[in-house]
Structures are given as C-alpha cells and as structure tokens.
Amino acid sequence: MTQPTFDPSSIESILHEERHFNPPSDFVDRMGSVYVSSLSDYEKIYNRSISDPQAFWTEIAEQLHWYRPWDRVLEWSPPDAKWFVGGQTNICDNCVDRQVRNGHGDETAIIWEGEPVDNGGPEIRRLTYADLQRETARLGNALKKLGVRKGDVVTIYMGMVPELAIAMLACARIGAAHSVIFGGFSSQAIADRVTDADSRVIITGDGAWRRGKIVPLKDNVDQACETLAAGNRDVDAVVVLKRCENAINWQDGRDHWYHELTAAADEDCPPEAMDSEDVLFLLYTSGSTGKPKGIVHTTGGYMVFTYITARYVFNLHPGRDQVYWCTADCGWVTGHSYIVYGVLPNRVPSLMYEGAPNFPAEDRFWDIVERHRVTQFYTAPTAIRAFMKWGAEHAEKHDLSSLKVLGTVGEPINPEAWMWYHRVIGGERCPIVDTWWQTETGGHMITPLPGATPTTPGSCTLPFFGIDAAVVNEKGEEQPANTGGLLVIRKPWPGMLRGIHGDRERFLETYWRRVENMYCAGDGAKRDEHGYFWIMGRIDDVINVSGHRLGTMEVESALVSHPAVVEAAVVGVPHEIKGTGIAAFVTLESHAEPSADLREQLRDHVAREIGAIAKPDQIRLTDALPKTRSGKIMRRLLRDVAAGTDTEQDVTTLEDLTVLAKLRESEEE
Ligand code: WTA
C-alpha cells in the first residue's frame, strides 16, 4: 500500500481572518468559576504539561477512582504507548458509582428528550446516578447471563435513547468492549463490523424515531444476521429495546426483549477492576482504502483524557446548575467522549436528544435549549449551516440566555458560520470553542479554553495541555508560519488510539510511517504568526461529509458492487450545508442503459450498502474515467469537473484528453 503523494506547499491558505474575540469580560461572573481564566495561565500550565507530563497527568488521574494505583504513568515505545501502567480502574464506576458513593446518587446524570411531540409536549426522562447504577448493573448481569465475558465485544446499534448510554456503560462495567454502530448505517455495514470485531451479541431496538419516521433497527439487524449466517457466522443473542412498538420479526432462542432481561436481572453487579490498558471500545471509522478500521481505545488513559478535556474545554462545574448538551449521536466518537465518558465523571447533567433538529419544526434545538436552560452547547458546522439557511427567526423565538459556552466539532467551520453562531445563538456573549480532534485521538487536541483563549473565526487556536501538536513537512521539520503542512502530534497523550483492531500493518502505515515517530493525523494545517492552528482539510482520499468521515474507496466499492457498474471514482464537491458533498463518476456495463432511474437506483444501492449519509449528491454516467498512463484515476481533474470549475491543472499525463470533455457533457440533469 502506498501513501498518496502530497506536497505540503500545495496547501495554501486563502483565509485572511482579522477578527479576534477575547473571552467576554463577564465570563467568570456568568460561570461562577473558571478553571483557566487567562492566556498566561494557559501558557504556564501548558509549558509544565509538556516539560513534566508525568507530574501533570498524575495530578489529573488522581482526581478519579482507581482500585489499584499505577506503577508508571507512561511507557512509550513508539508507536506504542501504555498509560497508567499497572493501574486498575473502571470507567463506569467513575461515571456512575463514584458519584453515588460521594452522596450524589439523587442528582441528574442524563436528561433525555424524545423526538415525538404531542399536546403535552415531548417525552422527557431524567436519570440520576443511582438510576444509572441500577440500570447498568441489571443490564451488566443480563449480558453476563447471555454469556458475555470480560474482553468480548458487544455490538450496539440503537437510536439516541438513554438505554444506548446505559448499554455502553454496562459493557464497561463488566469489562466487555463495545462497538457502537451509528443507527443510520445499513445492514451490510453492521455485518462487516460484527465480522471484523468477532462480536456475538448485539443490542438494538425495535426502531428509532427520526424526523417523525421509524428507522427499522431490528429489521436491519435481522438482515445483517442473515448475511452473517451466509458467511457461517452466528450471532448468539440479539437484545431488543422496545421503543417505537413497530412490528418486528422474532427468532426464538436468539432474540430477547431488553425489558424482560433486565427485569429478571439482579441489581448487584460490582464494576470489574480493569487493567488500565484493557480495551474499552472499538469504534469503526473510514480510511482512505478498503474497509472501515476498528479504532481501539483502552480504559485508563482514555478515561483521564476525556474527563479533563470535557472539564476544561466546556468549563464543567458540578453543583452550579449547569446543563450540558452535545447534539452528536453516540454512534460517533463525539458521543462516546462528550455525551457519556467525559461528561458523567464531571457530575454535570448530560442532555441527550433523540431526533432531528427540524422536527416538528426548525426551532426544535432552540426549544430544547430554552426548556432545559442549557448552559454548554456543542454541535457541528454542518448543523450551524443548516440553521443559517433556515433563518435566524427560529432561534430568535426562544430565550437562549442560559447559554454560556458554545462548541463546534467535525470539520473546519467557515468564518460566516462562526459569526452567525456567535451572534444569533451566543448573543455575542458566549465564547466559541472550535475543537479539533479525531476518533483516533479520543478527545480534544487543539481547542480554545473558553475563559482563556482569544478566538478567531475559523481557527481551532492552541493545543490542549500535554498535546505537542505541530505542522511539519515530510521530514518532520516544522513549517514556517502561515505555510501549509502535515498536522502531527510529536508526543504520546493518554487518549491516543492503541491500534486498529486486527491490523497492525494498517495502523503503522496510516499514522506512523509518513513522518518518523510522529502521529500523522491525515489533516493538512498551518500555524499563523500567533501560533494558532488552522485546519485545511484531509490530505488523503477521505472526504468529510457533514462532519463524518467517508473513504472515497468505500463508496466506490459500493457502486462497483452494483451489477450495472464497471468502474467508479468518487470525489468531494463543495456543498452548501454538508460542507463537502459526494460526486460519483460511474462507467456502466455495455448492457446497461444510462437513465435518471438508474442514477436513483445507484444512489439507493449505496444507501443500502453503507447508509444514507454516503448517498452521492451527483452521479455522472460516463464512457471512461480520466487516467494517467499508469492507469491511476486522476481525481484532481474529477474534483474540478464535479465542482464545475475550469481546469487549469496540468493535464499532460492524461491518457485520453477527450475523456475530460465528455465528462463535462455528462453533467447531471
Ligand atoms: C475533521 C470527529 C477542522 C478533521 C471528532 C479530522 C475538524 C476529522 C475539526 C476527524 C475542527 C474534526 N476543525 N476539522 N474543529 N474537528 N475535524 O474521526 O479532518 O469523525 O481529521 O472525529 O474531522 O473526524 P472524526
């Protein structure tokens, strides 16, 4: 496997952003208390965290509960890190039981709001730490009864209901690793992930509510089980939560109702003492080649890192009437780290919302903020762009004065969207934390601290404590200010991935071979004259659609698996709401007739193979794809064709120049 060639100087910054915003002068008053309240404090702590990481991380880790203290903070043999070596802990204990032990059992841990709204308003549930303790214990015991043992992988495929968080925590409680699959993925995606993880138990629901419709979760799992059976793989048990009461098929012996299992289960299930480096979860994410990769995170380091980043970046303070809301789905890393694992140990209620932002109307999010007096709000640029399009009037109908900190994650935020967020949602009084991080990093890596860091629209500003981020060339030399390069992390950090499940070679190749002994994030970036980081997007064949990473290769494989398709090339194309949309260039078998109907079929086919998020926005049917003499598809040309811009690029290596002209004519609709 070869790395795509990349010339760092080819990334040029076109943004010249001059607007700066200091943390509001009344921020400390409004918050009551702020962990880091000036840039010089940030610098002092940062310098110490880099010069003496052991002391820094020891102090943080000691704030959590360990059954056995660690012998060494870090063992680093690049690219393998072990954190809190020899220590034993349990993250469910730290999220839940520890709060109960400290006398906070009656406080709210999770506030949940369902999507459907009737005359009495939406359904709202509040779960206390004591509720979570009881429910994770019951489900933990139920899973053990189904044969789940420490180290097994449990697959979770559910809607955004409290039981999703409970299922994750229950696995952690008994020492099973979970693999959460986003509820929007298809049955094929489930089958692939279950196979890769060798998972034998699936927790799902009958259905999930999404924009007033029911997503047939159980049907998708049934289909996945059929696919698995055809490949001689058995799923031992499917646990089904009743939510939508839609009709489902039932396989006796394999299928179990969640409510029946948990009602019959004992409430006594002490959290398992886990080794700091025991696996906590796998989370599948797209790469530039082949199938999704199962990113491996372990227990102790991930726990410490998500706890402290959530605390400082959102300024979470227990006992001060804060309500924190992250709008992500738990199926993505943002939901893992900043709905569940980083937030609960901070003892601030975490709000979960089940459904779509525009159901029943475009003001749903602001309605929720007003109803629950949300103080910290964390969402994605793609959502902000949708809100802008729907209009400020939806937000203006609501009292958003409770908001104190706003956050964004998932892709670079364009300055107009930043300013809109600042003005319309934040009322010009809330710092915005633009957090850069990845599934692989476990938690925030480059981000403002709300009381300390002056912000500039479009920049994720400065590294978090302990994070040695840099922009370098392929030799690992730091680039001068305002020059594009590779974003790398030069020192290990507690939340870093420990590998790709079952694929050591891919782990080395993807992250560690490009620049020696540095973690290469796969993003291009620059630092400006103030040392602020600006992310310029992916350098590989991964496209970021609505803040979700998709490998172009995955979408191509899905297209080629359709009988009418010979060859396909997929590229990103600018899209008003999604940031990047998907354009697919497809050559057909000679028997296939090009038609609008076939295009629609291909779109649906991709949705079935991967999920609706991967549906191409444009499909162009063409006789041939532009290739180099060595047969490589020339994607940069396709990108221009898809975006409708004229090609000023060098085409001397094009095998067949007429192909390009034909592609332009293939313009859809
Ligand atoms: C992109 C999501 C610019 C980036 C937590 C990264 C961002 C990928 C930002 C990871 C940001 C994430 N500014 N780009 N604040 N946050 N990205 O694994 O390309 O789903 O590599 O993790 O999203 O996506 P992932």
Side-chain angles (χ1 to χ4, degrees):
M1 192 167 88
T2 54
Q3 298 276 8
T5 46
F6 166 73
D7 169 13
S9 60
S10 69
I11 312 182
E12 263 172 49
S13 166
I14 37 158
L15 274 177
H16 294 288
E17 183 55 60
E18 296 294 338
R19 288 168 290 203
H20 298 281
F21 296 86
N22 286 319
S25 51
D26 63 349
F27 185 65
V28 181
D29 286 347
R30 299 189 68 236
M31 274 277 158
S33 177
V34 171
Y35 293 107
V36 188
S37 56
S38 72
L39 193 58
S40 61
D41 276 1
Y42 158 81
E43 279 162 358
K44 247 184 274 162
I45 304 174
Y46 179 78
N47 291 339
R48 185 175 153 252
S49 74
I50 294 293
S51 62
D52 192 356
Q54 313 244 345
F56 176 81
W57 290 113
T58 297
E59 239 170 63
I60 311 288
E62 282 174 346
Q63 297 172 23
L64 295 164
H65 175 252
W66 297 75
Y67 300 106
R68 183 187 186 281
W70 52 93
D71 304 314
R72 280 172 310 285
V73 174
L74 170 66
E75 261 174 42
W76 176 227
S77 156
D80 299 303
K82 290 186 180 162
W83 283 87
F84 310 109
V85 186
Q88 288 186 342
T89 186
N90 185 293
I91 196 168
C92 178
D93 176 76
N94 275 289
C95 288
V96 177
D97 300 60
R98 184 175 58 104
Q99 316 292 17
V100 177
R101 276 199 301 279
N102 292 342
H104 305 293
D106 293 342
E107 291 177 21
T108 303
I110 291 178
I111 303 171
W112 174 83
E113 185 165 313
E115 188 190 75
V117 181
D118 61 21
N119 291 337
E123 186 186 348
I124 293 169
R125 287 169 63 191
R126 280 172 220 282
L127 290 91
T128 64
Y129 296 99
D131 293 334
L132 287 185
Q133 187 176 42
R134 193 181 56 249
E135 297 306 319
T136 56
R138 282 191 171 150
L139 183 59
N141 278 329
L143 290 173
K144 284 190 200 167
K145 238 194 189 136
L146 292 175
V148 176
R149 297 282 166 266
K150 197 168 161 175
D152 289 354
V153 180
V154 174
T155 297
I156 302 176
Y157 177 71
M158 299 175 88
M160 277 291 283
V161 286
E163 286 78 5
L164 167 51
I166 290 168
M168 294 163 69
L169 290 162
C171 289
R173 189 173 191 89
I174 64 170
H178 54 70
S179 163
V180 183
I181 302 175
F182 171 55
F185 279 129
S186 67
S187 59
Q188 186 59 48
I190 305 169
D192 291 345
R193 287 158 174 75
V194 166
T195 303
D196 187 80
D198 198 15
S199 173
R200 299 190 165 264
V201 173
I202 303 177
I203 308 177
T204 187
D206 50 2
W209 287 112
R210 184 77 194 175
R211 208 162 282 126
K213 296 211 180 79
I214 294 173
V215 181
L217 296 175
K218 175 63 162 60
D219 288 356
N220 293 347
V221 169
D222 288 345
Q223 269 180 42
C225 288
E226 266 173 43
T227 308
L228 289 161
N232 276 330
R233 272 182 182 270
D234 285 328
V235 170
D236 297 338
V238 176
V239 180
V240 187
L241 179 81
K242 192 177 268 184
R243 166 63 187 143
C244 300
E245 313 215 352
N246 48 317
I248 55 172
N249 291 319
W250 199 259
Q251 187 172 315
D252 282 330
R254 185 196 71 188
D255 296 348
H256 309 265
W257 283 112
Y258 182 107
H259 61 272
E260 289 178 1
L261 288 186
T262 49
D266 203 272
E267 281 180 26
D268 183 32
C269 178
E272 196 75 33
M274 301 301 289
D275 190 89
S276 180
E277 284 299 332
D278 278 339
V279 174
L280 176 62
F281 65 82
L282 305 180
L283 183 55
Y284 285 85
T285 187
S286 297
S288 55
T289 48
K291 58 181 172 91
K293 41 194 192 203
I295 302 301
V296 179
H297 281 288
T298 58
T299 304
Y302 174 85
M303 173 178 83
V304 170
F305 193 60
T306 53
Y307 158 74
I308 200 60
T309 47
R311 192 174 186 84
Y312 286 0
V313 173
F314 301 118
N315 200 47
L316 299 180
H317 277 278
R320 287 191 192 267
D321 287 338
Q322 295 185 340
V323 173
Y324 163 90
W325 181 21
C326 165
T327 70
D329 190 289
C330 285
W332 309 107
V333 75
T334 305
H336 282 59
S337 299
Y338 299 112
I339 292 178
V340 182
Y341 292 124
V343 183
L344 295 177
N346 278 296
R347 201 159 55 77
V348 164
S350 183
L351 194 149
M352 279 176 90
Y353 167 56
E354 180 176 39
N358 53 354
F359 189 89
E362 282 81 4
D363 68 339
R364 183 63 187 267
F365 273 17
W366 319 123
D367 190 33
I368 294 175
V369 168
E370 178 172 7
R371 183 166 27 255
H372 299 282
R373 306 294 297 158
V374 170
T375 41
Q376 289 97 337
F377 178 76
Y378 192 31
T379 195
T382 183
I384 298 168
R385 287 191 295 266
F387 301 142
M388 284 172 77
K389 194 170 169 189
W390 295 337
E393 64 270 22
H394 301 292
E396 284 160 359
K397 275 199 291 219
H398 294 277
D399 174 7
L400 306 183
S401 62
S402 58
L403 290 171
K404 297 187 167 89
V405 179
L406 302 178
T408 127
V409 58
E411 59 184 304
I413 179 165
N414 36 315
E416 309 84 73
W418 196 104
M419 287 305 298
W420 190 91
Y421 198 27
H422 171 71
R423 246 183 335 101
V424 178
I425 306 306
E428 301 187 2
R429 57 170 201 278
C430 303
I432 295 180
V433 290
D434 175 355
T435 60
W436 177 85
W437 60 294
Q438 306 178 293
T439 305
E440 291 86 342
T441 69
H444 300 145
M445 301 294 279
I446 307 181
T447 173
L449 299 182
T453 318
T455 51
T456 295
S459 167
C460 53
T461 74
L462 298 167
F464 189 77
F465 303 135
I467 303 304
D468 183 18
V471 175
V472 301
N473 62 21
E474 303 249 342
K475 288 191 221 122
E477 297 155 348
E478 243 178 303
Q479 297 285 72
N482 292 312
T483 308
L486 302 164
L487 179 58
V488 295
I489 313 296
R490 296 182 291 199
K491 286 201 172 74
W493 68 100
M496 69 196 285
L497 81 164
R498 302 301 197 263
I500 293 175
H501 181 66
D503 202 340
R504 178 76 180 169
E505 179 55 28
R506 195 171 177 196
F507 170 64
L508 300 174
E509 183 67 24
T510 311
Y511 308 109
W512 301 98
R513 290 227 175 98
R514 185 160 225 145
V515 189
E516 213 183 331
N517 286 348
M518 296 184 191
Y519 169 80
C520 186
D523 281 349
K526 64 158 192 169
R527 278 187 106 157
D528 67 17
E529 58 282 8
H530 310 291
Y532 275 31
F533 284 83
W534 297 76
I535 308 298
M536 288 141 115
R538 302 289 307 177
I539 56 168
D540 51 19
D541 289 328
V542 173
I543 48 184
N544 193 326
V545 178
S546 301
H548 302 308
R549 281 155 64 183
L550 286 171
T552 51
M553 179 71 186
E554 280 170 75
V555 185
E556 286 164 6
S557 310
L559 284 165
V560 173
S561 72
H562 188 281
V565 176
V566 180
E567 195 172 41
V570 164
V571 294
V573 54
H575 187 285
E576 197 190 348
I577 303 288
K578 299 179 182 177
T580 307
I582 300 175
F585 295 85
V586 172
T587 57
L588 297 178
E589 291 280 2
S590 50
H591 62 80
E593 276 298 313
S595 66
D597 186 48
L598 179 59
R599 283 201 196 100
E600 213 34 57
Q601 272 184 36
L602 293 177
R603 277 206 193 94
D604 290 343
H605 181 71
V606 174
R608 259 195 313 278
E609 290 288 306
I610 306 175
I613 47 166
K615 256 190 179 183
D617 298 281
Q618 309 177 10
I619 290 195
R620 297 181 189 224
L621 305 175
T622 164
D623 295 339
L625 293 169
K627 289 184 185 166
T628 61
R629 278 166 213 279
S630 63
K632 273 183 150 181
I633 296 172
M634 300 183 77
R635 289 167 194 283
R636 58 197 171 96
L637 294 179
L638 295 179
R639 260 177 229 128
D640 282 357
V641 174
T645 50
D646 267 317
T647 295
E648 286 164 15
Q649 304 196 41
D650 179 17
V651 290
T652 48
T653 52
L654 246 186
E655 177 67 358
D656 178 3
L657 283 169
T658 59
V659 164
L660 203 58
K662 284 195 196 135
L663 277 175
R664 285 186 194 289
E665 287 161 16
S666 73
E667 200 108 1
E668 203 184 350
E669 272 102 40

